[in-house]
Short mmCIF file of all heavy atoms in Angstrom, two decimals:
data_model
loop_
_atom_site.label_atom_id
_atom_site.label_comp_id
_atom_site.label_asym_id
_atom_site.label_seq_id
_atom_site.Cartn_x
_atom_site.Cartn_y
_atom_site.Cartn_z
N MET A 209 0.84 -1.18 0.00
CA MET A 209 0.00 0.00 0.00
C MET A 209 0.89 1.25 0.00
O MET A 209 1.87 1.32 0.71
CB MET A 209 -0.91 -0.01 1.22
CG MET A 209 -1.99 1.05 1.08
SD MET A 209 -2.86 1.47 2.59
CE MET A 209 -3.13 -0.08 3.38
N THR A 210 0.52 2.18 -0.80
CA THR A 210 1.30 3.41 -0.88
C THR A 210 0.50 4.58 -0.32
O THR A 210 -0.61 4.82 -0.74
CB THR A 210 1.67 3.73 -2.33
OG1 THR A 210 2.37 2.62 -2.88
CG2 THR A 210 2.56 4.96 -2.40
N ARG A 211 1.11 5.21 0.63
CA ARG A 211 0.45 6.39 1.18
C ARG A 211 0.70 7.58 0.29
O ARG A 211 1.83 7.82 -0.13
CB ARG A 211 0.97 6.69 2.59
CG ARG A 211 0.30 5.85 3.64
CD ARG A 211 0.55 6.43 5.02
NE ARG A 211 1.98 6.51 5.30
CZ ARG A 211 2.47 7.10 6.40
NH1 ARG A 211 1.66 7.67 7.25
NH2 ARG A 211 3.76 7.13 6.63
N THR A 212 -0.32 8.32 -0.01
CA THR A 212 -0.16 9.48 -0.88
C THR A 212 -0.36 10.76 -0.08
O THR A 212 -1.33 11.47 -0.27
CB THR A 212 -1.15 9.41 -2.04
OG1 THR A 212 -2.47 9.22 -1.51
CG2 THR A 212 -0.81 8.28 -2.98
N LEU A 213 0.57 10.98 0.82
CA LEU A 213 0.53 12.22 1.59
C LEU A 213 1.32 13.29 0.85
O LEU A 213 2.52 13.14 0.64
CB LEU A 213 1.14 11.99 2.97
CG LEU A 213 1.19 13.23 3.88
CD1 LEU A 213 -0.22 13.70 4.21
CD2 LEU A 213 1.96 12.90 5.14
N ARG A 214 0.61 14.31 0.44
CA ARG A 214 1.28 15.35 -0.34
C ARG A 214 1.60 16.56 0.52
O ARG A 214 0.76 17.06 1.23
CB ARG A 214 0.39 15.77 -1.52
CG ARG A 214 0.30 14.69 -2.56
CD ARG A 214 -0.19 15.24 -3.87
NE ARG A 214 -1.55 15.76 -3.78
CZ ARG A 214 -2.18 16.36 -4.77
NH1 ARG A 214 -1.59 16.52 -5.92
NH2 ARG A 214 -3.41 16.80 -4.64
N THR A 215 2.82 16.99 0.42
CA THR A 215 3.22 18.18 1.16
C THR A 215 3.83 19.20 0.19
O THR A 215 4.40 18.82 -0.82
CB THR A 215 4.27 17.84 2.23
OG1 THR A 215 5.37 17.18 1.59
CG2 THR A 215 3.69 16.91 3.28
N PRO A 216 3.68 20.45 0.50
CA PRO A 216 4.27 21.48 -0.36
C PRO A 216 5.78 21.43 -0.25
O PRO A 216 6.33 21.05 0.77
CB PRO A 216 3.73 22.78 0.21
CG PRO A 216 3.42 22.48 1.64
CD PRO A 216 3.00 21.03 1.66
N ASN A 217 6.48 21.79 -1.31
CA ASN A 217 7.94 21.78 -1.26
C ASN A 217 8.52 23.18 -1.47
O ASN A 217 9.71 23.35 -1.60
CB ASN A 217 8.53 20.80 -2.27
CG ASN A 217 8.03 21.07 -3.68
OD1 ASN A 217 7.59 22.18 -3.98
ND2 ASN A 217 8.11 20.09 -4.52
N LYS A 218 7.64 24.15 -1.50
CA LYS A 218 8.10 25.52 -1.62
C LYS A 218 7.06 26.45 -1.02
O LYS A 218 5.87 26.22 -1.14
CB LYS A 218 8.32 25.87 -3.10
CG LYS A 218 8.94 27.24 -3.29
CD LYS A 218 9.21 27.49 -4.76
CE LYS A 218 9.87 28.85 -4.96
NZ LYS A 218 10.11 29.14 -6.39
N ARG A 219 7.55 27.48 -0.35
CA ARG A 219 6.64 28.45 0.23
C ARG A 219 7.31 29.81 0.26
O ARG A 219 8.53 29.91 0.36
CB ARG A 219 6.21 28.04 1.64
CG ARG A 219 7.34 28.03 2.65
CD ARG A 219 6.84 27.58 4.00
NE ARG A 219 7.90 27.65 5.00
CZ ARG A 219 7.75 27.33 6.28
NH1 ARG A 219 6.58 26.87 6.70
NH2 ARG A 219 8.73 27.43 7.14
N SER A 220 6.49 30.83 0.18
CA SER A 220 7.03 32.19 0.23
C SER A 220 6.14 33.04 1.12
O SER A 220 4.95 32.80 1.22
CB SER A 220 7.12 32.78 -1.18
OG SER A 220 5.84 32.85 -1.76
N CYS A 221 6.76 34.02 1.77
CA CYS A 221 6.04 34.90 2.67
C CYS A 221 5.42 36.04 1.89
O CYS A 221 6.09 36.69 1.10
CB CYS A 221 6.98 35.42 3.76
SG CYS A 221 6.16 36.57 4.88
N GLU A 222 4.12 36.27 2.14
CA GLU A 222 3.44 37.35 1.44
C GLU A 222 3.84 38.72 1.97
O GLU A 222 3.59 39.73 1.35
CB GLU A 222 1.93 37.18 1.59
CG GLU A 222 1.40 35.93 0.91
CD GLU A 222 -0.10 35.80 1.09
OE1 GLU A 222 -0.64 36.41 2.02
OE2 GLU A 222 -0.72 35.10 0.28
N LEU A 223 4.44 38.75 3.15
CA LEU A 223 4.75 40.03 3.78
C LEU A 223 6.17 40.50 3.50
O LEU A 223 6.41 41.67 3.23
CB LEU A 223 4.53 39.92 5.29
CG LEU A 223 3.11 39.48 5.70
CD1 LEU A 223 3.02 39.34 7.20
CD2 LEU A 223 2.06 40.46 5.18
N CYS A 224 7.15 39.59 3.58
CA CYS A 224 8.54 40.04 3.45
C CYS A 224 9.25 39.36 2.27
O CYS A 224 10.41 39.59 2.04
CB CYS A 224 9.29 39.76 4.75
SG CYS A 224 9.59 38.01 5.05
N ASP A 225 8.53 38.49 1.56
CA ASP A 225 9.08 37.85 0.36
C ASP A 225 10.14 36.81 0.67
O ASP A 225 10.92 36.41 -0.20
CB ASP A 225 9.62 38.88 -0.62
CG ASP A 225 9.60 38.35 -2.05
OD1 ASP A 225 8.70 37.57 -2.37
OD2 ASP A 225 10.51 38.69 -2.82
N ARG A 226 10.23 36.36 1.92
CA ARG A 226 11.12 35.26 2.24
C ARG A 226 10.64 34.02 1.51
O ARG A 226 9.44 33.76 1.44
CB ARG A 226 11.12 35.00 3.76
CG ARG A 226 12.02 33.84 4.18
CD ARG A 226 11.83 33.53 5.66
NE ARG A 226 12.62 32.39 6.09
CZ ARG A 226 13.82 32.49 6.67
NH1 ARG A 226 14.35 33.68 6.90
NH2 ARG A 226 14.48 31.42 7.05
N THR A 227 11.57 33.29 0.94
CA THR A 227 11.20 32.09 0.20
C THR A 227 11.99 30.91 0.74
O THR A 227 13.20 31.00 0.95
CB THR A 227 11.48 32.27 -1.30
OG1 THR A 227 10.76 33.41 -1.77
CG2 THR A 227 11.02 31.04 -2.08
N GLU A 228 11.29 29.82 0.98
CA GLU A 228 11.93 28.63 1.50
C GLU A 228 11.56 27.43 0.64
O GLU A 228 10.49 27.37 0.05
CB GLU A 228 11.50 28.37 2.94
CG GLU A 228 11.90 29.48 3.89
CD GLU A 228 11.49 29.18 5.33
OE1 GLU A 228 10.70 28.24 5.55
OE2 GLU A 228 11.97 29.89 6.22
N VAL A 229 12.47 26.49 0.61
CA VAL A 229 12.20 25.24 -0.09
C VAL A 229 12.39 24.09 0.90
O VAL A 229 13.18 24.17 1.84
CB VAL A 229 13.15 25.04 -1.29
CG1 VAL A 229 12.82 26.04 -2.39
CG2 VAL A 229 14.59 25.15 -0.88
N TRP A 230 11.65 23.04 0.71
CA TRP A 230 11.71 21.90 1.61
C TRP A 230 12.90 21.02 1.26
O TRP A 230 13.08 20.62 0.12
CB TRP A 230 10.41 21.10 1.51
CG TRP A 230 10.39 19.92 2.44
CD1 TRP A 230 10.52 18.60 2.07
CD2 TRP A 230 10.24 19.93 3.86
NE1 TRP A 230 10.45 17.81 3.21
CE2 TRP A 230 10.28 18.60 4.31
CE3 TRP A 230 10.07 20.97 4.79
CZ2 TRP A 230 10.16 18.26 5.66
CZ3 TRP A 230 9.96 20.63 6.12
CH2 TRP A 230 10.00 19.30 6.54
N ASP A 231 13.70 20.72 2.28
CA ASP A 231 14.85 19.85 2.10
C ASP A 231 14.52 18.50 2.71
O ASP A 231 14.46 18.35 3.93
CB ASP A 231 16.07 20.47 2.77
CG ASP A 231 17.33 19.64 2.53
OD1 ASP A 231 17.21 18.52 1.99
OD2 ASP A 231 18.42 20.11 2.87
N GLU A 232 14.28 17.54 1.87
CA GLU A 232 13.88 16.23 2.36
C GLU A 232 14.98 15.55 3.15
O GLU A 232 14.74 14.81 4.09
CB GLU A 232 13.47 15.33 1.19
CG GLU A 232 12.07 15.60 0.70
CD GLU A 232 11.59 14.50 -0.23
OE1 GLU A 232 12.11 13.37 -0.12
OE2 GLU A 232 10.71 14.77 -1.05
N ASP A 233 16.22 15.80 2.77
CA ASP A 233 17.35 15.15 3.43
C ASP A 233 17.41 15.52 4.91
O ASP A 233 17.64 14.67 5.77
CB ASP A 233 18.66 15.51 2.74
CG ASP A 233 18.74 14.89 1.35
OD1 ASP A 233 18.03 13.90 1.13
OD2 ASP A 233 19.49 15.40 0.52
N SER A 234 17.24 16.80 5.19
CA SER A 234 17.33 17.25 6.58
C SER A 234 15.96 17.37 7.23
O SER A 234 15.86 17.56 8.42
CB SER A 234 18.05 18.59 6.64
OG SER A 234 17.36 19.56 5.89
N GLY A 235 14.91 17.24 6.42
CA GLY A 235 13.57 17.33 6.96
C GLY A 235 13.26 18.70 7.53
O GLY A 235 12.64 18.80 8.57
N ALA A 236 13.72 19.72 6.83
CA ALA A 236 13.50 21.07 7.32
C ALA A 236 13.41 22.04 6.16
O ALA A 236 13.85 21.73 5.05
CB ALA A 236 14.62 21.49 8.26
N TRP A 237 12.83 23.21 6.44
CA TRP A 237 12.76 24.26 5.43
C TRP A 237 14.11 24.96 5.32
O TRP A 237 14.75 25.22 6.33
CB TRP A 237 11.68 25.27 5.79
CG TRP A 237 10.30 24.74 5.65
CD1 TRP A 237 9.51 24.28 6.66
CD2 TRP A 237 9.54 24.59 4.44
NE1 TRP A 237 8.31 23.85 6.14
CE2 TRP A 237 8.29 24.03 4.80
CE3 TRP A 237 9.80 24.87 3.09
CZ2 TRP A 237 7.31 23.75 3.85
CZ3 TRP A 237 8.82 24.59 2.16
CH2 TRP A 237 7.59 24.04 2.52
N ARG A 238 14.51 25.25 4.10
CA ARG A 238 15.75 25.99 3.87
C ARG A 238 15.44 27.23 3.05
O ARG A 238 14.53 27.22 2.23
CB ARG A 238 16.76 25.12 3.10
CG ARG A 238 17.23 23.91 3.88
CD ARG A 238 17.98 22.97 2.96
NE ARG A 238 19.18 23.59 2.43
CZ ARG A 238 20.41 23.33 2.90
NH1 ARG A 238 20.58 22.48 3.87
NH2 ARG A 238 21.45 23.92 2.38
N VAL A 239 16.21 28.26 3.28
CA VAL A 239 16.00 29.50 2.54
C VAL A 239 16.37 29.28 1.08
O VAL A 239 17.44 28.73 0.77
CB VAL A 239 16.84 30.64 3.14
CG1 VAL A 239 16.67 31.92 2.32
CG2 VAL A 239 16.44 30.89 4.59
N ALA A 240 15.48 29.70 0.21
CA ALA A 240 15.73 29.53 -1.22
C ALA A 240 16.64 30.63 -1.73
O ALA A 240 16.71 31.72 -1.17
CB ALA A 240 14.40 29.56 -1.97
N SER A 241 17.33 30.33 -2.78
CA SER A 241 18.22 31.31 -3.39
C SER A 241 17.47 32.12 -4.44
O SER A 241 16.71 31.56 -5.23
CB SER A 241 19.42 30.62 -4.04
OG SER A 241 20.18 29.95 -3.06
N GLY A 242 17.71 33.40 -4.44
CA GLY A 242 17.13 34.27 -5.44
C GLY A 242 18.20 34.79 -6.37
O GLY A 242 19.35 34.37 -6.30
N ASP A 243 17.81 35.69 -7.23
CA ASP A 243 18.77 36.25 -8.18
C ASP A 243 19.87 37.04 -7.47
O ASP A 243 21.00 37.09 -7.91
CB ASP A 243 18.06 37.16 -9.17
CG ASP A 243 17.10 36.37 -10.05
OD1 ASP A 243 17.32 35.15 -10.20
OD2 ASP A 243 16.14 36.95 -10.56
N ASP A 244 19.51 37.65 -6.34
CA ASP A 244 20.47 38.49 -5.62
C ASP A 244 20.95 37.84 -4.34
O ASP A 244 21.43 38.49 -3.43
CB ASP A 244 19.83 39.85 -5.30
CG ASP A 244 19.35 40.56 -6.56
OD1 ASP A 244 20.07 40.48 -7.57
OD2 ASP A 244 18.27 41.17 -6.53
N GLY A 245 20.82 36.51 -4.27
CA GLY A 245 21.25 35.82 -3.07
C GLY A 245 20.06 35.19 -2.35
O GLY A 245 18.96 35.17 -2.88
N PRO A 246 20.31 34.68 -1.16
CA PRO A 246 19.24 34.03 -0.41
C PRO A 246 18.11 34.99 -0.11
O PRO A 246 18.33 36.13 0.28
CB PRO A 246 19.95 33.59 0.89
CG PRO A 246 21.40 33.58 0.57
CD PRO A 246 21.59 34.65 -0.47
N ARG A 247 16.90 34.52 -0.26
CA ARG A 247 15.73 35.37 -0.02
C ARG A 247 15.25 35.15 1.42
O ARG A 247 14.28 34.43 1.66
CB ARG A 247 14.64 35.04 -1.03
CG ARG A 247 15.09 35.30 -2.46
CD ARG A 247 14.06 34.88 -3.47
NE ARG A 247 12.82 35.66 -3.34
CZ ARG A 247 11.80 35.53 -4.18
NH1 ARG A 247 11.86 34.69 -5.19
NH2 ARG A 247 10.72 36.24 -4.02
N VAL A 248 15.98 35.76 2.33
CA VAL A 248 15.70 35.53 3.74
C VAL A 248 14.56 36.40 4.26
O VAL A 248 13.98 36.10 5.29
CB VAL A 248 16.96 35.80 4.61
CG1 VAL A 248 18.05 34.81 4.26
CG2 VAL A 248 17.46 37.22 4.40
N GLY A 249 14.23 37.48 3.54
CA GLY A 249 13.16 38.34 4.00
C GLY A 249 13.54 39.08 5.27
O GLY A 249 14.70 39.38 5.51
N SER A 250 12.53 39.36 6.09
CA SER A 250 12.76 40.10 7.32
C SER A 250 12.82 39.16 8.51
O SER A 250 12.00 38.26 8.66
CB SER A 250 11.63 41.12 7.54
OG SER A 250 11.73 41.69 8.82
N LEU A 251 13.82 39.38 9.36
CA LEU A 251 13.97 38.51 10.53
C LEU A 251 12.86 38.74 11.54
O LEU A 251 12.58 37.88 12.37
CB LEU A 251 15.33 38.78 11.20
CG LEU A 251 16.56 38.39 10.38
CD1 LEU A 251 17.82 38.81 11.12
CD2 LEU A 251 16.60 36.90 10.12
N HIS A 252 12.23 39.90 11.47
CA HIS A 252 11.20 40.25 12.46
C HIS A 252 9.79 39.97 11.95
O HIS A 252 8.82 40.25 12.62
CB HIS A 252 11.33 41.72 12.84
CG HIS A 252 12.69 42.08 13.37
ND1 HIS A 252 13.15 41.63 14.60
CD2 HIS A 252 13.70 42.79 12.83
CE1 HIS A 252 14.39 42.09 14.79
NE2 HIS A 252 14.74 42.78 13.72
N CYS A 253 9.74 39.42 10.75
CA CYS A 253 8.44 39.16 10.15
C CYS A 253 7.83 37.91 10.78
O CYS A 253 8.53 36.96 11.14
CB CYS A 253 8.61 38.97 8.64
SG CYS A 253 7.05 38.67 7.79
N ILE A 254 6.50 37.92 10.93
CA ILE A 254 5.84 36.74 11.48
C ILE A 254 5.59 35.70 10.39
O ILE A 254 5.24 34.57 10.65
CB ILE A 254 4.50 37.12 12.13
CG1 ILE A 254 3.58 37.80 11.11
CG2 ILE A 254 4.74 38.01 13.33
CD1 ILE A 254 2.19 38.05 11.65
N HIS A 255 5.77 36.11 9.14
CA HIS A 255 5.67 35.26 7.96
C HIS A 255 4.25 34.74 7.71
O HIS A 255 3.71 33.95 8.46
CB HIS A 255 6.64 34.08 8.03
CG HIS A 255 8.07 34.51 8.14
ND1 HIS A 255 8.60 35.51 7.36
CD2 HIS A 255 9.07 34.06 8.93
CE1 HIS A 255 9.88 35.65 7.66
NE2 HIS A 255 10.20 34.81 8.63
N GLU A 256 3.70 35.25 6.67
CA GLU A 256 2.40 34.78 6.21
C GLU A 256 2.67 33.92 4.98
O GLU A 256 2.87 34.42 3.88
CB GLU A 256 1.52 35.98 5.84
CG GLU A 256 0.08 35.62 5.56
CD GLU A 256 -0.69 35.26 6.82
OE1 GLU A 256 -0.41 35.87 7.88
OE2 GLU A 256 -1.54 34.37 6.74
N TRP A 257 2.74 32.60 5.18
CA TRP A 257 3.19 31.73 4.11
C TRP A 257 2.15 31.54 3.04
O TRP A 257 1.00 31.25 3.32
CB TRP A 257 3.60 30.37 4.68
CG TRP A 257 4.76 30.46 5.60
CD1 TRP A 257 4.76 30.12 6.92
CD2 TRP A 257 6.10 30.88 5.30
NE1 TRP A 257 6.01 30.33 7.45
CE2 TRP A 257 6.84 30.79 6.48
CE3 TRP A 257 6.72 31.34 4.13
CZ2 TRP A 257 8.19 31.14 6.54
CZ3 TRP A 257 8.06 31.68 4.19
CH2 TRP A 257 8.77 31.58 5.38
N ASP A 258 2.60 31.71 1.84
CA ASP A 258 1.77 31.43 0.69
C ASP A 258 2.31 30.19 0.01
O ASP A 258 3.36 30.21 -0.62
CB ASP A 258 1.80 32.62 -0.28
CG ASP A 258 1.10 32.29 -1.58
OD1 ASP A 258 0.11 31.55 -1.53
OD2 ASP A 258 1.56 32.76 -2.63
N ILE A 259 1.61 29.10 0.20
CA ILE A 259 2.08 27.83 -0.36
C ILE A 259 1.83 27.81 -1.85
O ILE A 259 0.71 28.00 -2.31
CB ILE A 259 1.36 26.64 0.30
CG1 ILE A 259 1.52 26.71 1.83
CG2 ILE A 259 1.90 25.34 -0.24
CD1 ILE A 259 2.94 26.59 2.31
N ASN A 260 2.89 27.59 -2.59
CA ASN A 260 2.75 27.54 -4.04
C ASN A 260 2.02 26.27 -4.48
O ASN A 260 2.17 25.23 -3.89
CB ASN A 260 4.12 27.57 -4.70
CG ASN A 260 4.74 28.97 -4.60
OD1 ASN A 260 4.15 29.85 -3.98
ND2 ASN A 260 5.90 29.14 -5.17
N GLY A 261 1.28 26.41 -5.53
CA GLY A 261 0.58 25.26 -6.06
C GLY A 261 -0.64 24.92 -5.22
O GLY A 261 -1.01 25.66 -4.31
N SER A 262 -1.26 23.85 -5.54
CA SER A 262 -2.45 23.44 -4.82
C SER A 262 -2.07 22.47 -3.72
O SER A 262 -1.79 21.31 -3.96
CB SER A 262 -3.46 22.81 -5.79
OG SER A 262 -2.84 21.72 -6.45
N PHE A 263 -2.05 23.00 -2.52
CA PHE A 263 -1.67 22.16 -1.39
C PHE A 263 -2.89 21.47 -0.81
O PHE A 263 -3.87 22.10 -0.46
CB PHE A 263 -0.99 23.02 -0.32
CG PHE A 263 -0.86 22.31 1.00
CD1 PHE A 263 -0.15 21.12 1.07
CD2 PHE A 263 -1.43 22.82 2.13
CE1 PHE A 263 -0.03 20.47 2.29
CE2 PHE A 263 -1.31 22.17 3.35
CZ PHE A 263 -0.60 20.99 3.42
N ALA A 264 -2.81 20.19 -0.72
CA ALA A 264 -3.87 19.41 -0.08
C ALA A 264 -3.20 18.39 0.83
O ALA A 264 -2.24 17.74 0.42
CB ALA A 264 -4.73 18.71 -1.11
N PRO A 265 -3.67 18.29 2.07
CA PRO A 265 -3.05 17.34 3.01
C PRO A 265 -3.03 15.92 2.47
O PRO A 265 -2.10 15.17 2.67
CB PRO A 265 -3.94 17.45 4.25
CG PRO A 265 -4.61 18.77 4.14
CD PRO A 265 -4.77 19.02 2.66
N PHE A 266 -4.07 15.56 1.77
CA PHE A 266 -4.13 14.23 1.21
C PHE A 266 -4.48 14.33 -0.26
O PHE A 266 -5.21 15.25 -0.68
CB PHE A 266 -5.16 13.38 1.94
CG PHE A 266 -4.84 13.20 3.39
CD1 PHE A 266 -5.42 14.01 4.34
CD2 PHE A 266 -3.93 12.23 3.80
CE1 PHE A 266 -5.12 13.87 5.69
CE2 PHE A 266 -3.62 12.08 5.14
CZ PHE A 266 -4.23 12.89 6.09
N ALA A 267 -4.04 13.40 -1.02
CA ALA A 267 -4.39 13.39 -2.43
C ALA A 267 -5.89 13.20 -2.57
O ALA A 267 -6.50 12.46 -1.83
CB ALA A 267 -3.63 12.28 -3.15
N GLY A 268 -6.45 13.88 -3.53
CA GLY A 268 -7.89 13.83 -3.69
C GLY A 268 -8.36 12.56 -4.36
O GLY A 268 -9.03 12.58 -5.37
N ARG A 269 -7.97 11.46 -3.76
CA ARG A 269 -8.34 10.17 -4.34
C ARG A 269 -9.07 9.36 -3.28
O ARG A 269 -8.55 9.14 -2.21
CB ARG A 269 -7.08 9.44 -4.79
CG ARG A 269 -7.38 8.27 -5.72
CD ARG A 269 -6.10 7.64 -6.20
NE ARG A 269 -5.34 7.04 -5.09
CZ ARG A 269 -4.13 6.51 -5.22
NH1 ARG A 269 -3.54 6.52 -6.38
NH2 ARG A 269 -3.50 5.97 -4.19
N ARG A 270 -10.25 8.93 -3.62
CA ARG A 270 -11.01 8.14 -2.66
C ARG A 270 -10.47 6.71 -2.61
O ARG A 270 -10.02 6.17 -3.62
CB ARG A 270 -12.49 8.11 -3.04
CG ARG A 270 -13.16 9.46 -2.74
CD ARG A 270 -14.65 9.35 -2.96
NE ARG A 270 -14.96 9.13 -4.38
CZ ARG A 270 -16.19 8.97 -4.83
NH1 ARG A 270 -17.20 8.98 -4.00
NH2 ARG A 270 -16.41 8.78 -6.12
N ASP A 271 -10.53 6.16 -1.44
CA ASP A 271 -10.07 4.78 -1.30
C ASP A 271 -10.98 3.86 -2.09
O ASP A 271 -12.20 3.93 -2.00
CB ASP A 271 -10.07 4.37 0.16
CG ASP A 271 -9.01 5.12 0.95
OD1 ASP A 271 -7.98 5.48 0.35
OD2 ASP A 271 -9.23 5.33 2.15
N ALA A 272 -10.37 3.01 -2.84
CA ALA A 272 -11.16 2.05 -3.62
C ALA A 272 -11.54 0.87 -2.72
O ALA A 272 -10.70 0.32 -2.03
CB ALA A 272 -10.35 1.55 -4.79
N VAL A 273 -12.78 0.58 -2.73
CA VAL A 273 -13.26 -0.54 -1.93
C VAL A 273 -13.34 -1.77 -2.80
O VAL A 273 -14.10 -1.83 -3.76
CB VAL A 273 -14.64 -0.23 -1.32
CG1 VAL A 273 -15.14 -1.41 -0.50
CG2 VAL A 273 -14.57 1.02 -0.47
N GLU A 274 -12.51 -2.71 -2.45
CA GLU A 274 -12.48 -3.93 -3.25
C GLU A 274 -13.20 -5.05 -2.53
O GLU A 274 -13.01 -5.25 -1.34
CB GLU A 274 -11.04 -4.33 -3.55
CG GLU A 274 -10.31 -3.25 -4.38
CD GLU A 274 -8.90 -3.69 -4.68
OE1 GLU A 274 -8.59 -4.88 -4.49
OE2 GLU A 274 -8.09 -2.83 -5.08
N GLY A 275 -13.96 -5.78 -3.28
CA GLY A 275 -14.75 -6.88 -2.71
C GLY A 275 -13.90 -7.98 -2.34
O GLY A 275 -13.62 -8.97 -2.60
ZN1 ZN B 239 7.74 37.17 6.23
#
């Protein structure tokens, strides 16, 4: 059985433009690189994350009931 738990792999702050990407190896968010260097945004920002793409906790697939 394969679990289809979908998680976002990129997010950006709507307030300070901080951008992070998900690092599976370390299991943590890392600051993404921009054209002018890392997009760290503001250190004092509370960060209003805007998840790119359509984020859904679970894949929109109903479990198939097999007889
Ligand atoms: Zn922010």
Side-chain angles (χ1 to χ4, degrees):
M209 192 196 318
T210 304
R211 278 195 301 174
T212 52
L213 179 64
R214 289 198 296 177
T215 55
N217 55 21
K218 186 177 182 182
R219 65 182 184 179
S220 61
C221 177
E222 295 180 339
L223 303 177
C224 71
D225 205 33
R226 179 187 178 96
T227 303
E228 298 182 348
V229 291
W230 181 253
D231 184 351
E232 280 193 24
D233 292 338
S234 60
W237 289 100
R238 295 168 63 102
V239 177
S241 296
D243 294 336
D244 302 321
R247 298 176 64 175
V248 296
S250 171
L251 294 176
H252 303 290
C253 181
I254 58 173
H255 300 316
E256 189 72 36
W257 296 118
D258 171 35
I259 306 296
N260 287 3
S262 57
F263 167 59
F266 299 96
R269 195 177 65 185
R270 286 187 294 178
D271 292 330
V273 179
E274 298 181 14

